Short mmCIF file of all heavy atoms in Angstrom, two decimals:
data_model
loop_
_atom_site.label_atom_id
_atom_site.label_comp_id
_atom_site.label_asym_id
_atom_site.label_seq_id
_atom_site.Cartn_x
_atom_site.Cartn_y
_atom_site.Cartn_z
N LEU A 277 18.13 -9.54 -4.37
CA LEU A 277 19.26 -9.30 -3.48
C LEU A 277 18.89 -9.86 -2.11
O LEU A 277 17.71 -9.85 -1.73
CB LEU A 277 19.55 -7.80 -3.34
CG LEU A 277 20.18 -7.08 -4.52
CD1 LEU A 277 20.19 -5.57 -4.27
CD2 LEU A 277 21.59 -7.58 -4.78
N ARG A 278 19.87 -10.29 -1.36
CA ARG A 278 19.66 -10.69 0.03
C ARG A 278 20.46 -9.76 0.92
O ARG A 278 21.69 -9.74 0.85
CB ARG A 278 20.06 -12.13 0.27
CG ARG A 278 19.87 -12.54 1.75
CD ARG A 278 20.09 -14.02 1.97
NE ARG A 278 19.03 -14.82 1.36
CZ ARG A 278 18.92 -16.13 1.54
NH1 ARG A 278 19.78 -16.78 2.29
NH2 ARG A 278 17.94 -16.78 0.95
N LEU A 279 19.77 -9.01 1.73
CA LEU A 279 20.40 -8.12 2.67
C LEU A 279 20.59 -8.84 4.01
O LEU A 279 19.76 -9.66 4.41
CB LEU A 279 19.55 -6.87 2.88
CG LEU A 279 19.08 -6.14 1.61
CD1 LEU A 279 18.32 -4.88 2.00
CD2 LEU A 279 20.23 -5.83 0.69
N SER A 280 21.68 -8.51 4.67
CA SER A 280 21.97 -9.07 5.99
C SER A 280 22.28 -7.96 6.97
O SER A 280 22.82 -6.93 6.59
CB SER A 280 23.18 -10.01 5.92
OG SER A 280 22.96 -11.08 5.04
N CYS A 281 21.94 -8.20 8.22
CA CYS A 281 22.27 -7.26 9.28
C CYS A 281 22.74 -8.07 10.47
O CYS A 281 21.95 -8.79 11.08
CB CYS A 281 21.06 -6.41 9.64
SG CYS A 281 21.30 -5.36 11.09
N ALA A 282 24.02 -7.95 10.78
CA ALA A 282 24.60 -8.68 11.89
C ALA A 282 24.78 -7.75 13.08
O ALA A 282 25.30 -6.64 12.94
CB ALA A 282 25.95 -9.25 11.47
N VAL A 283 24.33 -8.22 14.24
CA VAL A 283 24.41 -7.43 15.47
C VAL A 283 25.53 -7.98 16.33
O VAL A 283 25.53 -9.17 16.66
CB VAL A 283 23.09 -7.46 16.24
CG1 VAL A 283 23.16 -6.57 17.48
CG2 VAL A 283 21.94 -7.05 15.35
N SER A 284 26.48 -7.13 16.66
CA SER A 284 27.62 -7.58 17.45
C SER A 284 27.25 -7.72 18.92
O SER A 284 26.34 -7.05 19.41
CB SER A 284 28.77 -6.59 17.31
OG SER A 284 28.40 -5.34 17.88
N GLY A 285 27.97 -8.59 19.62
CA GLY A 285 27.77 -8.73 21.05
C GLY A 285 26.80 -9.83 21.40
O GLY A 285 26.07 -10.35 20.56
N LEU A 286 26.82 -10.19 22.69
CA LEU A 286 25.96 -11.27 23.18
C LEU A 286 24.73 -10.65 23.81
O LEU A 286 24.68 -10.39 25.01
CB LEU A 286 26.73 -12.12 24.19
CG LEU A 286 27.94 -12.84 23.64
CD1 LEU A 286 28.68 -13.58 24.76
CD2 LEU A 286 27.54 -13.82 22.54
N PHE A 287 23.74 -10.37 22.96
CA PHE A 287 22.52 -9.74 23.43
C PHE A 287 21.31 -10.59 23.04
O PHE A 287 21.34 -11.28 22.04
CB PHE A 287 22.35 -8.35 22.79
CG PHE A 287 23.49 -7.41 23.07
CD1 PHE A 287 24.45 -7.18 22.11
CD2 PHE A 287 23.59 -6.77 24.28
CE1 PHE A 287 25.50 -6.31 22.34
CE2 PHE A 287 24.64 -5.91 24.54
CZ PHE A 287 25.59 -5.67 23.56
N ARG A 288 20.29 -10.49 23.84
CA ARG A 288 19.02 -11.09 23.47
C ARG A 288 18.25 -10.02 22.71
O ARG A 288 17.84 -9.02 23.28
CB ARG A 288 18.25 -11.54 24.70
CG ARG A 288 16.95 -12.27 24.35
CD ARG A 288 16.14 -12.60 25.60
NE ARG A 288 14.97 -13.40 25.34
CZ ARG A 288 13.83 -12.95 24.87
NH1 ARG A 288 13.68 -11.66 24.62
NH2 ARG A 288 12.80 -13.76 24.64
N ILE A 289 18.06 -10.28 21.44
CA ILE A 289 17.44 -9.28 20.59
C ILE A 289 15.96 -9.56 20.45
O ILE A 289 15.57 -10.69 20.17
CB ILE A 289 18.11 -9.27 19.20
CG1 ILE A 289 19.61 -9.02 19.35
CG2 ILE A 289 17.48 -8.20 18.32
CD1 ILE A 289 20.38 -9.18 18.06
N ASP A 290 15.16 -8.55 20.63
CA ASP A 290 13.72 -8.71 20.50
C ASP A 290 13.33 -8.48 19.04
O ASP A 290 13.77 -9.21 18.18
CB ASP A 290 13.02 -7.78 21.49
CG ASP A 290 13.39 -8.11 22.92
OD1 ASP A 290 13.36 -9.30 23.26
OD2 ASP A 290 13.73 -7.19 23.70
N ASN A 291 12.56 -7.47 18.77
CA ASN A 291 12.15 -7.23 17.38
C ASN A 291 13.31 -6.80 16.50
O ASN A 291 14.20 -6.07 16.93
CB ASN A 291 11.08 -6.13 17.35
CG ASN A 291 9.75 -6.66 16.87
OD1 ASN A 291 9.39 -7.80 17.15
ND2 ASN A 291 9.01 -5.85 16.15
N MET A 292 13.30 -7.28 15.27
CA MET A 292 14.27 -6.88 14.27
C MET A 292 13.49 -6.45 13.02
O MET A 292 12.42 -7.01 12.75
CB MET A 292 15.22 -8.02 13.91
CG MET A 292 15.89 -8.67 15.12
SD MET A 292 17.01 -10.01 14.68
CE MET A 292 18.52 -9.07 14.33
N GLY A 293 14.04 -5.50 12.30
CA GLY A 293 13.29 -5.04 11.14
C GLY A 293 14.14 -4.31 10.12
O GLY A 293 15.32 -4.01 10.36
N TRP A 294 13.51 -4.06 9.00
CA TRP A 294 14.15 -3.33 7.90
C TRP A 294 13.28 -2.12 7.53
O TRP A 294 12.05 -2.22 7.48
CB TRP A 294 14.32 -4.22 6.67
CG TRP A 294 15.37 -5.27 6.85
CD1 TRP A 294 15.17 -6.55 7.27
CD2 TRP A 294 16.77 -5.13 6.61
NE1 TRP A 294 16.38 -7.22 7.31
CE2 TRP A 294 17.37 -6.37 6.90
CE3 TRP A 294 17.58 -4.09 6.17
CZ2 TRP A 294 18.75 -6.59 6.76
CZ3 TRP A 294 18.94 -4.29 6.03
CH2 TRP A 294 19.51 -5.54 6.33
N TYR A 295 13.94 -1.02 7.25
CA TYR A 295 13.30 0.21 6.81
C TYR A 295 14.08 0.72 5.61
O TYR A 295 15.22 0.28 5.39
CB TYR A 295 13.30 1.25 7.94
CG TYR A 295 12.42 0.84 9.10
CD1 TYR A 295 12.81 -0.17 9.97
CD2 TYR A 295 11.20 1.46 9.32
CE1 TYR A 295 12.00 -0.58 11.01
CE2 TYR A 295 10.38 1.07 10.37
CZ TYR A 295 10.79 0.05 11.19
OH TYR A 295 9.97 -0.36 12.23
N ARG A 296 13.49 1.61 4.86
CA ARG A 296 14.21 2.14 3.71
C ARG A 296 13.89 3.61 3.51
O ARG A 296 12.82 4.08 3.88
CB ARG A 296 13.88 1.36 2.44
CG ARG A 296 12.43 1.47 1.97
CD ARG A 296 12.19 0.51 0.80
NE ARG A 296 10.83 0.61 0.30
CZ ARG A 296 10.34 -0.19 -0.66
NH1 ARG A 296 11.10 -1.14 -1.19
NH2 ARG A 296 9.09 -0.03 -1.07
N GLN A 297 14.86 4.29 2.90
CA GLN A 297 14.71 5.71 2.65
C GLN A 297 15.20 6.04 1.25
O GLN A 297 16.39 5.86 0.95
CB GLN A 297 15.47 6.53 3.69
CG GLN A 297 15.23 8.01 3.61
CD GLN A 297 15.73 8.75 4.84
OE1 GLN A 297 16.54 8.22 5.62
NE2 GLN A 297 15.25 9.95 5.06
N ALA A 298 14.27 6.49 0.43
CA ALA A 298 14.62 6.92 -0.92
C ALA A 298 15.05 8.39 -0.87
O ALA A 298 14.68 9.11 0.05
CB ALA A 298 13.43 6.73 -1.85
N PRO A 299 15.80 8.84 -1.87
CA PRO A 299 16.26 10.24 -1.88
C PRO A 299 15.09 11.21 -1.79
O PRO A 299 14.11 11.10 -2.53
CB PRO A 299 16.97 10.36 -3.22
CG PRO A 299 17.41 8.98 -3.54
CD PRO A 299 16.33 8.08 -3.00
N GLY A 300 15.19 12.15 -0.85
CA GLY A 300 14.17 13.17 -0.70
C GLY A 300 12.90 12.71 -0.03
O GLY A 300 11.92 13.46 0.05
N LYS A 301 12.89 11.48 0.49
CA LYS A 301 11.68 10.95 1.12
C LYS A 301 11.98 10.54 2.55
O LYS A 301 13.12 10.41 2.96
CB LYS A 301 11.15 9.76 0.31
CG LYS A 301 10.68 10.12 -1.08
CD LYS A 301 9.98 8.97 -1.75
CE LYS A 301 9.45 9.37 -3.12
NZ LYS A 301 8.73 8.24 -3.78
N GLN A 302 10.91 10.30 3.31
CA GLN A 302 11.07 9.88 4.69
C GLN A 302 11.44 8.40 4.74
O GLN A 302 11.29 7.67 3.76
CB GLN A 302 9.78 10.11 5.47
CG GLN A 302 8.61 9.26 5.01
CD GLN A 302 7.33 9.53 5.78
OE1 GLN A 302 7.19 10.56 6.43
NE2 GLN A 302 6.40 8.61 5.73
N ARG A 303 11.94 7.99 5.89
CA ARG A 303 12.27 6.59 6.08
C ARG A 303 10.97 5.81 6.31
O ARG A 303 10.15 6.16 7.16
CB ARG A 303 13.21 6.43 7.27
CG ARG A 303 13.81 5.06 7.42
CD ARG A 303 14.88 5.04 8.49
NE ARG A 303 16.00 5.92 8.16
CZ ARG A 303 17.13 5.98 8.89
NH1 ARG A 303 17.28 5.21 9.95
NH2 ARG A 303 18.09 6.81 8.54
N ASP A 304 10.80 4.72 5.57
CA ASP A 304 9.57 3.94 5.61
C ASP A 304 9.80 2.53 6.12
O ASP A 304 10.86 1.93 5.89
CB ASP A 304 8.94 3.84 4.22
CG ASP A 304 8.38 5.17 3.73
OD1 ASP A 304 7.93 5.97 4.57
OD2 ASP A 304 8.40 5.38 2.50
N PHE A 305 8.79 1.99 6.75
CA PHE A 305 8.79 0.61 7.22
C PHE A 305 8.77 -0.35 6.03
O PHE A 305 8.07 -0.13 5.04
CB PHE A 305 7.55 0.41 8.09
CG PHE A 305 7.11 -1.00 8.26
CD1 PHE A 305 7.83 -1.86 9.10
CD2 PHE A 305 5.99 -1.48 7.61
CE1 PHE A 305 7.42 -3.17 9.27
CE2 PHE A 305 5.59 -2.79 7.78
CZ PHE A 305 6.30 -3.63 8.61
N VAL A 306 9.54 -1.42 6.13
CA VAL A 306 9.54 -2.46 5.10
C VAL A 306 9.03 -3.77 5.70
O VAL A 306 8.07 -4.35 5.20
CB VAL A 306 10.94 -2.67 4.51
CG1 VAL A 306 10.94 -3.84 3.52
CG2 VAL A 306 11.44 -1.40 3.83
N ALA A 307 9.68 -4.24 6.76
CA ALA A 307 9.29 -5.52 7.36
C ALA A 307 9.88 -5.63 8.76
O ALA A 307 10.94 -5.06 9.04
CB ALA A 307 9.79 -6.67 6.50
N THR A 308 9.19 -6.37 9.61
CA THR A 308 9.70 -6.67 10.93
C THR A 308 9.48 -8.14 11.25
O THR A 308 8.61 -8.80 10.64
CB THR A 308 9.03 -5.83 12.03
OG1 THR A 308 7.61 -6.06 11.99
CG2 THR A 308 9.33 -4.36 11.88
N ILE A 309 10.25 -8.63 12.21
CA ILE A 309 10.11 -10.01 12.66
C ILE A 309 10.37 -10.05 14.16
O ILE A 309 11.35 -9.47 14.64
CB ILE A 309 11.05 -10.95 11.87
CG1 ILE A 309 10.83 -12.40 12.30
CG2 ILE A 309 12.52 -10.54 12.02
CD1 ILE A 309 11.51 -13.41 11.38
N SER A 310 9.48 -10.71 14.88
CA SER A 310 9.66 -10.86 16.32
C SER A 310 10.66 -11.97 16.60
O SER A 310 11.05 -12.73 15.70
CB SER A 310 8.32 -11.19 16.98
OG SER A 310 7.93 -12.51 16.65
N ARG A 311 11.03 -12.07 17.85
CA ARG A 311 11.98 -13.12 18.22
C ARG A 311 11.39 -14.51 17.95
O ARG A 311 12.10 -15.45 17.60
CB ARG A 311 12.37 -12.99 19.69
CG ARG A 311 13.42 -14.00 20.10
CD ARG A 311 13.98 -13.72 21.49
NE ARG A 311 14.99 -14.70 21.83
CZ ARG A 311 16.26 -14.62 21.41
NH1 ARG A 311 16.66 -13.61 20.67
NH2 ARG A 311 17.12 -15.56 21.76
N GLU A 312 10.07 -14.61 18.06
CA GLU A 312 9.39 -15.89 17.86
C GLU A 312 9.11 -16.16 16.39
O GLU A 312 8.65 -17.25 16.04
CB GLU A 312 8.07 -15.92 18.64
CG GLU A 312 8.23 -15.86 20.15
CD GLU A 312 8.63 -14.49 20.66
OE1 GLU A 312 8.34 -13.49 19.95
OE2 GLU A 312 9.24 -14.42 21.76
N GLY A 313 9.38 -15.15 15.52
CA GLY A 313 9.22 -15.38 14.08
C GLY A 313 7.98 -14.78 13.46
O GLY A 313 7.73 -15.00 12.26
N THR A 314 7.21 -14.01 14.21
CA THR A 314 6.05 -13.36 13.63
C THR A 314 6.50 -12.21 12.74
O THR A 314 7.31 -11.38 13.16
CB THR A 314 5.13 -12.81 14.73
OG1 THR A 314 4.69 -13.90 15.56
CG2 THR A 314 3.91 -12.13 14.12
N THR A 315 5.99 -12.17 11.53
CA THR A 315 6.44 -11.18 10.56
C THR A 315 5.34 -10.20 10.18
O THR A 315 4.15 -10.52 10.24
CB THR A 315 6.94 -11.86 9.28
OG1 THR A 315 5.88 -12.66 8.73
CG2 THR A 315 8.15 -12.75 9.57
N ASN A 316 5.77 -9.02 9.77
CA ASN A 316 4.88 -8.01 9.21
C ASN A 316 5.57 -7.36 8.03
O ASN A 316 6.79 -7.16 8.06
CB ASN A 316 4.55 -6.94 10.25
CG ASN A 316 3.51 -7.41 11.25
OD1 ASN A 316 2.36 -7.64 10.90
ND2 ASN A 316 3.91 -7.57 12.49
N TYR A 317 4.78 -7.02 7.01
CA TYR A 317 5.35 -6.43 5.79
C TYR A 317 4.55 -5.20 5.37
O TYR A 317 3.34 -5.15 5.54
CB TYR A 317 5.32 -7.43 4.64
CG TYR A 317 6.18 -8.64 4.84
CD1 TYR A 317 5.66 -9.81 5.39
CD2 TYR A 317 7.52 -8.63 4.48
CE1 TYR A 317 6.45 -10.93 5.59
CE2 TYR A 317 8.33 -9.74 4.66
CZ TYR A 317 7.78 -10.89 5.22
OH TYR A 317 8.58 -11.99 5.40
N ALA A 318 5.25 -4.27 4.76
CA ALA A 318 4.56 -3.18 4.10
C ALA A 318 3.81 -3.73 2.89
O ALA A 318 4.29 -4.68 2.25
CB ALA A 318 5.57 -2.12 3.65
N ASP A 319 2.67 -3.14 2.58
CA ASP A 319 1.88 -3.64 1.45
C ASP A 319 2.68 -3.62 0.15
O ASP A 319 2.52 -4.50 -0.70
CB ASP A 319 0.62 -2.78 1.28
CG ASP A 319 -0.39 -3.04 2.38
OD1 ASP A 319 -0.28 -4.08 3.07
OD2 ASP A 319 -1.29 -2.20 2.57
N SER A 320 3.56 -2.65 0.02
CA SER A 320 4.31 -2.50 -1.24
C SER A 320 5.30 -3.62 -1.50
O SER A 320 5.77 -3.78 -2.63
CB SER A 320 5.05 -1.15 -1.23
OG SER A 320 5.95 -1.09 -0.14
N VAL A 321 5.63 -4.40 -0.46
CA VAL A 321 6.63 -5.46 -0.65
C VAL A 321 6.07 -6.86 -0.39
O VAL A 321 6.77 -7.86 -0.60
CB VAL A 321 7.86 -5.24 0.26
CG1 VAL A 321 8.44 -3.85 0.03
CG2 VAL A 321 7.55 -5.47 1.72
N LYS A 322 4.82 -6.95 0.02
CA LYS A 322 4.23 -8.27 0.30
C LYS A 322 4.29 -9.15 -0.94
O LYS A 322 3.97 -8.72 -2.05
CB LYS A 322 2.78 -8.11 0.76
CG LYS A 322 2.64 -7.71 2.20
CD LYS A 322 1.17 -7.59 2.59
CE LYS A 322 1.02 -7.16 4.04
NZ LYS A 322 -0.40 -6.96 4.41
#
């Protein structure tokens, strides 16, 4: 699947990222990307 997240308005956006929450569990980090393109991933999705 390809997920998309569109941010409305004319803003300079710094870090962007994805998190996920399974039923009955806390929200967990999945991945982030800086404005310059530096990425980080959770080990479970690398």
Side-chain angles (χ1 to χ4, degrees):
L277 288 171
R278 178 172 291 187
L279 310 183
S280 300
C281 173
V283 183
S284 65
L286 297 176
F287 302 102
R288 184 185 186 281
I289 304 172
D290 299 313
N291 245 35
M292 308 180 85
W294 289 93
Y295 293 73
R296 66 187 181 185
Q297 187 166 18
K301 295 189 177 181
Q302 66 181 19
R303 190 172 298 186
D304 291 329
F305 159 75
V306 175
T308 57
I309 184 168
S310 71
R311 184 170 180 82
E312 295 74 24
T314 300
T315 58
N316 282 294
Y317 295 93
D319 288 343
S320 60
V321 306
K322 281 181 181 177

